[in-house]
Amino acid sequence: MQTLVPLQEPLRDQLQVGLGHKGKESRLIRSATQKARSSQYYQIPRERKVKKFVGRRDILAKINTIFTPVRSDSQQYPTSLALIGMGGIGKTQIVLEYCHQAHFVEKHFTSVFWVNAHSKDAVINSLVRIADNLGIQASDVGNADQKVNFVLETWTNWHSPYLVIYDNFDDPEFQDIQTFIPPFGPGAILLTSRLRGAVDVVDHSIDISVMAEDEAVDLLTSRSGLQRPATGSPDEADGKEVAWALECLPLALDQAGAYIRSSSGNVSFKVFLDHFE
Ligand SMILES: Nc1ncnc2c1ncn2[C@@H]1O[C@H](COP(=O)(O)OP(=O)(O)OP(=O)(O)O)[C@@H](O)[C@H]1O
Ligand SMILES: [Mg+2]
């Protein structure tokens, strides 16, 4: 986790004065918002990003096309997109890779915020953490609701294109996620979900399916530490067979690769298949 450019002065100094004074406090939150919006922010769970991201170029290109119109001067309403697919299919990894590319390589989004959306409480905790990172300390505006409002208002007034990730919106009981999505501002909202119904809360959606055969063999070989087998070789045929046995599901390929790697060369794709069947 890392904030690239922290605020120069903590907003605490302004907010402390407002404690206990409702009208004044909300004025102070507004002024804190004005200040926070001129900072840059990049915070994603980097420790979850795989060392070697494989494939998925077509999906990354689609995301880019959907979000490319987001500009600070022209965008009134955030553009929202959901990646939908079963558990372990690679949604979060695609998003982590997209964040990296969109921020560091293409520099399309100067600021990226990460929200854990697996439940309402998780969203609130994430927004409180973002408020704290933007400079509002627990002792300043103590209550979580105020911090959530602060973050939503800050996003609405953000000075340049920003990206907000809502990862793992998977709980069908969690109905009102929209109340935590900024209604205005030059934002892009990228949500991941196992639920088909998530399409109802976004403008666009992409169905994420299992990997293509080539991608699956790439993931398997890179994770297992084996050489990529030569095209048309018996080893490659075995690699493809392993990929299909695991239905080209990234999570399963990752685990099989880790198992092969831990055997220190004793388990080839062929041996793995014999064990598997
Ligand atoms: N493109 C990829 N390159 C390398 N490894 C990948 C890739 N996609 C997925 N993986 C591997 O598969 C695992 C599961 O992927 P991920 O966590 O992104 O799935 P998910 O769809 O977000 O699942 P869930 O719905 O449970 O959150 C990752 O931890 C990683 O090891
Ligand atoms: Mg996920």
Side-chain angles (χ1 to χ4, degrees):
M1 298 274 207
Q2 185 194 353
T3 306
L4 273 188
V5 185
L7 290 174
Q8 283 166 357
E9 297 164 42
L11 299 172
R12 164 178 60 234
D13 298 339
Q14 299 172 50
L15 289 162
Q16 250 159 11
V17 197
L19 284 177
H21 302 280
K22 279 227 168 324
K24 198 168 177 185
E25 187 173 276
S26 73
R27 264 204 318 284
L28 287 167
I29 288 181
R30 263 204 308 282
S31 109
T33 294
Q34 288 305 315
K35 192 158 184 182
R37 77 187 196 94
S38 62
S39 60
Q40 286 185 20
Y41 190 101
Y42 184 78
Q43 191 166 74
I44 64 168
R46 288 163 192 253
E47 69 286 353
R48 286 171 63 192
K49 191 173 186 312
V50 285
K51 283 204 183 70
K52 188 168 181 332
F53 179 83
V54 173
R56 304 306 207 173
R57 299 291 143 200
D58 50 338
I59 299 169
L60 290 166
K62 270 189 204 164
I63 300 173
N64 208 30
T65 305
I66 290 168
F67 284 155
T68 296
V70 176
R71 289 202 315 268
S72 40
D73 54 341
S74 66
Q75 192 73 19
Q76 287 293 317
Y77 300 100
T79 304
S80 54
L81 162 67
L83 305 187
I84 296 179
M86 63 190 276
I89 209 143
K91 304 179 294 294
T92 300
Q93 289 303 323
I94 292 168
V95 170
L96 287 165
E97 180 66 15
Y98 180 73
C99 288
H100 178 85
Q101 286 189 12
H103 180 75
F104 290 109
V105 182
E106 297 183 16
K107 302 188 185 330
H108 191 51
F109 296 107
T110 47
S111 298
V112 180
F113 303 86
W114 190 279
V115 176
N116 175 355
H118 92 258
S119 68
K120 188 169 180 165
D121 282 351
V123 170
I124 292 171
N125 286 341
S126 292
L127 294 181
V128 165
R129 186 176 39 77
I130 290 169
D132 290 344
N133 290 338
L134 284 169
I136 299 258
Q137 303 295 320
S139 56
D140 302 327
V141 178
N143 130 4
D145 282 354
Q146 286 168 326
K147 290 191 179 186
V148 167
N149 288 337
F150 162 76
V151 172
L152 290 173
E153 197 171 325
T154 300
W155 282 339
T156 300
N157 294 296
W158 203 254
H159 59 107
S160 61
Y162 63 88
L163 173 65
V164 188
I165 310 302
Y166 291 83
D167 189 37
N168 281 92
F169 174 52
D170 299 326
D171 179 1
E173 304 290 307
F174 180 18
Q175 300 280 342
D176 54 346
I177 190 165
Q178 262 138 327
T179 55
F180 299 100
I181 293 180
F184 302 105
I189 309 298
L190 182 52
L191 184 146
T192 75
S193 182
R194 296 177 185 176
L195 306 173
R196 182 117 289 286
V199 295
D200 296 342
V201 298
V202 287
D203 307 319
H204 308 269
S205 67
I206 300 176
D207 287 328
I208 309 298
S209 30
V210 293
M211 286 183 147
E213 184 184 73
D214 261 8
E215 292 176 329
V217 175
D218 279 349
L219 173 41
L220 194 59
T221 43
S222 85
R223 191 69 172 94
S224 60
L226 299 176
Q227 293 278 350
R228 178 74 159 91
T231 312
S233 66
D235 260 6
E236 189 195 39
D238 291 340
K240 287 181 180 174
E241 234 183 288
V242 174
W244 286 115
L246 301 171
E247 299 179 5
C248 296
L249 183 72
L251 178 62
L253 294 161
D254 178 75
Q255 288 175 353
Y259 172 74
I260 294 171
R261 182 184 283 264
S262 71
S263 79
S264 314
N266 293 321
V267 177
S268 61
F269 292 144
K270 180 102 188 66
V271 173
F272 180 88
L273 278 170
D274 293 342
H275 288 189
F276 190 74
E277 279 157 11

